[in-house]
Structure formats: C-alpha cells, structure tokens
Amino acid sequence: MPPCGAGVDRSSHSMDKSITLPPDEIFRNLENAKRFAIDIGGSLTKLAYYSTVQHKVAKVRSFDHTAKETEGDPLYEISMQEEVSARLHFIKFENAYIETCLDFIKDHLVNTDTKVIKATGGGAHKFKDLIEKKLKLRVDKEDEMTCLIKGCNFVLRNITHEAFVYAKHADSEFRFQNTHPDIFPYLLINIGSGVSIFKVESEDTFERVGGSSIGGGTFWGLGALLTKTKRFDELLQLASKGQHTNVDMLVKDIYGGSYGSLGLTGDLIASSFGKSATPDKEFSKEDMAKSLLHMISNDIGQLACLYARLHNLTRVYFGGFFIRGHPVTMHTITYSINFFTKGEVQALFLRHEGYLGTIGAFLKGAEEDSRP
C-alpha cells in the first residue's frame, strides 16, 4: 500500500476497488515491465498496477445415491484448493505531487528487470524527462484516445457491475448493469479538466465528435476563486452542504411559479448565479459551490444529450474524474439528460470512471508482453 504522504488523494474514492482480471492468455506470465501503467492528465495522475492474489476456494463434490441408498455414505465431499487470481489496483495523485507518485512507483513497483513504463495522457509528453530521470526507465507513450476507449471497452465487457444508473428517489439508488458482449455503439463523455466526447462503434472504430472547455478543471478553478478552497474533494464536500437556490435564479423567481405552456416547472434553474448580483448580500461558500456544481453538471448533461441525438445513440457513459461517485453530480446529469431527451437516452456511470486511460495503457503492455 502507498504511504500517506502529501499528494496522495485520500478522498473516499481515492483507493478505488481493485478489479479481478479475466483468465485471458495476455495476463499470464506478465513481465514486471508491463505490470503497471500511468495516465497523466491535466490535473491528476492515475496509476494502475498488477498483482496476483492467492486464496483458498472450497470445492464441493456431491454423490448420487438415487440408485441405491447406503446408510452412512456421505452426501457430499468438501475439499479446499489454492487458487491464484490476477488483480489490477488503482491509485491517483494530484499533478502538483507528481514526484510523490514517481517515488511510490520507484519504491513499490520497479525492480532490476524493469526497463519500460507504459504512459498515456498529455503528461506522458510533458513529464517524460522527469519520469525517465527519476525512475531510470524508458517512457513508452501510448495514444491517449486509443487507451481511453480500450479501457472503457474492457471494463464494460469484463467487469461485473461496472456500469450503473443513478436514481436518487428510487428504492435502490444504484442500478448496476450486467456485463454483455454487445456493447456497441455508445457515446463516452470523458470529463477531465475539459470534456471530450467520443462515438464508439467497435473495438477499432471510434472518433472524437466534440468536446467542451467547461469541465472538471472549470469546477476546480472557479470553485477555488469563489471559495478559496484549493482541494477538489473539499469543494465537493462544500457543495453537498449548500443550497443552490440561494444563488441561482429559478423559473418561479421570474414568473412567480411554473411556466406551464413551455413545460418549465417553478424549481427549474433559469439563471445560474442569477441572484449573486443582489446588492449588500453575502453568499456562503457552500451555496456557491453547489450552484457551480449544478451549472457545470447541467451543461455537460445537455451537451451529452445533443451529441446523443445527433448520432442517434441511446447509451451514454460518463468517464473521467469529475463525477467521483458524487450523488449531486450524478443526479444533476441524470436529470438533465432525462429532461432534454424525455427519457429516451440513458445516463450510465462507471465505477472506475477515472482509470479508463491507465487501464487501456496497461492492456497495451499486457498484449505486447504476450506476443511470442
């Protein structure tokens, strides 16, 4: 496990659940050089590393006594067997502490046989010299978009209960989806510092069809200016305690109620931050953070709707580290998509949303390692 030093993101979602890799040929006899991969984005560095876990499994063998019942014969027999499973573990660091991340890799993952580190994301270029100097390894850069889609396809096909629908007012808030071989086509909204939108039609057929500069980095940056809070997860905590209606102008603030002929309810946001120009009135950090989170989440949700409609797609997955399993964000995006598409498009979230790129880079290394 990594040290608790500065730079390791210790939010409730920072040590995401490891995943059990399927028993594919590419994961057998992995060389140590391909046992980890790194994805360096605009704000965060994501690391995936491989290990094997040994555990005992109870095997039950039953006996058929239908032909002749013999008193004292056992009905079943239990034996314990050792099994080894391959697992992939995840951790993230803020880019301000990239050297702490590299120290973790050097202390825990690199040995004398390690020669190469698989890297993707913009930081694979930006920090290439630092990585090679610090780790004494050659940086093998992989295309960011290819790794992202490869990682997404992999988790959708192989990881049970990876994708889920969020329903705030349902008996079960999280409705997990079963894995299915038929995952195409779909739209992937990857929310990092900015937003990139990908149409995915097959394993090898995909394209970036759009994007926006208003993403996770916008929430972090504007949130820091408004609240003087510099940590992303602290901003989310503030937002969870806020009341956006103190800052946002609603439909009922303008019309005195709903606008029925246009199908607009009174509680719908008419203008984000619309009340903030009120003279001689102070606004709490919590309320401003909540308003900002709603504004950006609604914008991303509407953008996702437009691209889903444009490309005639009904499955929309959200990746990147903006959401982080935060209920307000997921509810706002889900509400936005349901509102603008009248329920025709489904918003689907991912348990390993922020690690798709590093999973893809890891898989590229595993595939290379399995070649004769």
Side-chain angles (χ1 to χ4, degrees):
M1 298 293 287
C4 296
V8 182
D9 193 324
R10 288 290 169 191
S11 70
S12 60
H13 296 277
S14 64
M15 295 302 292
D16 295 65
K17 263 190 166 181
S18 62
I19 58 177
T20 301
L21 296 170
D24 293 357
E25 190 66 37
I26 65 168
F27 300 124
R28 297 176 189 168
N29 304 316
L30 280 176
E31 293 179 6
N32 193 70
K34 302 297 191 297
R35 287 180 185 256
F36 60 92
I38 193 169
D39 175 13
I40 311 176
S43 307
L44 295 170
T45 296
K46 288 80 68 177
L47 174 66
Y49 59 97
Y50 166 96
S51 73
T52 54
V53 179
Q54 193 169 28
H55 52 92
K56 290 185 178 181
V57 178
K59 299 287 186 179
V60 181
R61 178 188 173 202
S62 59
F63 299 101
D64 185 7
H65 293 297
T66 55
K68 182 181 179 182
E69 199 70 38
T70 305
E71 189 176 347
D73 283 357
L75 296 175
Y76 60 87
E77 179 182 87
I78 300 177
S79 61
M80 300 300 293
Q81 296 181 12
E82 293 281 350
E83 285 194 359
V84 176
S85 62
R87 297 192 70 81
L88 201 59
H89 309 270
F90 307 99
I91 187 171
K92 64 178 179 283
F93 297 79
E94 291 181 14
N95 282 1
Y97 303 100
I98 183 70
E99 295 209 34
T100 303
C101 175
L102 298 179
D103 285 336
F104 172 75
I105 294 172
K106 184 177 180 180
D107 295 340
H108 296 273
L109 301 176
V110 175
N111 65 26
T112 54
D113 296 325
T114 313
K115 300 292 187 293
V116 177
I117 178 172
K118 280 286 182 187
T120 189
H125 303 270
K126 181 178 179 180
F127 295 107
K128 176 180 178 291
D129 292 341
L130 174 64
I131 296 169
E132 292 186 337
K133 180 181 177 181
K134 187 100 173 174
L135 301 182
K136 304 292 191 291
L137 301 176
R138 177 173 61 84
V139 173
D140 190 2
K141 299 188 291 293
E142 293 290 347
D143 178 70
E144 183 176 1
M145 186 169 82
T146 302
C147 288
L148 180 73
I149 304 304
K150 192 175 189 67
C152 191
N153 291 342
F154 176 81
V155 297
L156 290 178
R157 274 217 174 98
N158 296 284
I159 308 305
T160 305
H161 295 166
E162 173 65 31
F164 62 92
V165 172
Y166 182 77
K168 182 180 180 181
H169 301 296
D171 292 337
S172 177
E173 283 186 309
F174 302 91
R175 299 208 309 269
F176 290 97
Q177 311 294 294
N178 293 321
T179 53
H180 195 278
D182 182 21
I183 63 173
F184 306 112
Y186 66 84
L187 200 69
L188 174 62
I189 315 295
N190 194 57
I191 315 168
S193 298
V195 179
S196 285
I197 301 174
F198 300 93
K199 179 184 178 182
V200 186
E201 297 180 276
S202 71
E203 289 289 347
D204 302 312
T205 307
F206 50 84
E207 63 175 321
R208 185 183 187 275
V209 293
S212 171
S213 61
I214 301 172
T218 314
F219 174 69
W220 198 348
L222 277 178
L225 291 173
L226 289 168
T227 69
K228 309 304 179 186
T229 301
K230 300 296 184 182
R231 300 299 297 272
F232 192 96
D233 288 295
E234 289 176 10
L235 279 171
L236 287 178
Q237 288 173 11
L238 285 175
S240 67
K241 300 172 185 175
Q243 179 53 262
H244 76 96
T245 55
N246 293 332
V247 180
D248 293 339
M249 188 176 290
L250 309 182
V251 169
K252 65 184 177 184
D253 295 321
I254 300 173
Y255 296 102
S258 61
Y259 196 149
S261 62
L262 293 182
L264 303 177
T265 64
D267 291 328
L268 203 66
I269 298 172
S271 175
S272 296
F273 288 91
K275 293 178 181 175
S276 60
T278 305
D280 304 320
K281 186 173 181 180
E282 295 293 326
F283 298 92
S284 72
K285 293 180 179 181
E286 291 82 1
D287 293 347
M288 289 189 290
K290 185 68 163 285
S291 175
L292 181 62
L293 186 61
H294 270 286
M295 183 180 76
I296 292 172
S297 299
N298 271 320
D299 184 69
I300 292 170
Q302 186 172 14
L303 200 62
C305 292
L306 293 172
Y307 278 97
R309 284 276 180 86
L310 181 64
H311 295 280
N312 197 29
L313 297 171
T314 58
R315 282 180 293 192
V316 180
Y317 294 97
F318 290 87
F321 254 123
F322 171 66
I323 297 170
R324 304 195 183 196
H326 195 266
V328 172
T329 311
M330 292 189 294
H331 174 66
T332 305
I333 289 174
T334 300
Y335 180 87
S336 178
I337 286 182
N338 285 338
F339 179 83
F340 288 112
T341 69
K342 296 180 172 58
E344 293 177 5
V345 175
Q346 191 172 44
L348 292 151
F349 303 98
L350 301 169
R351 287 171 57 223
H352 296 90
E353 55 182 10
Y355 293 106
L356 303 180
T358 191
I359 291 171
F362 170 83
L363 293 171
K364 295 280 279 188
E367 288 171 352
E368 290 176 11
D369 208 50
S370 67
R371 292 174 191 151

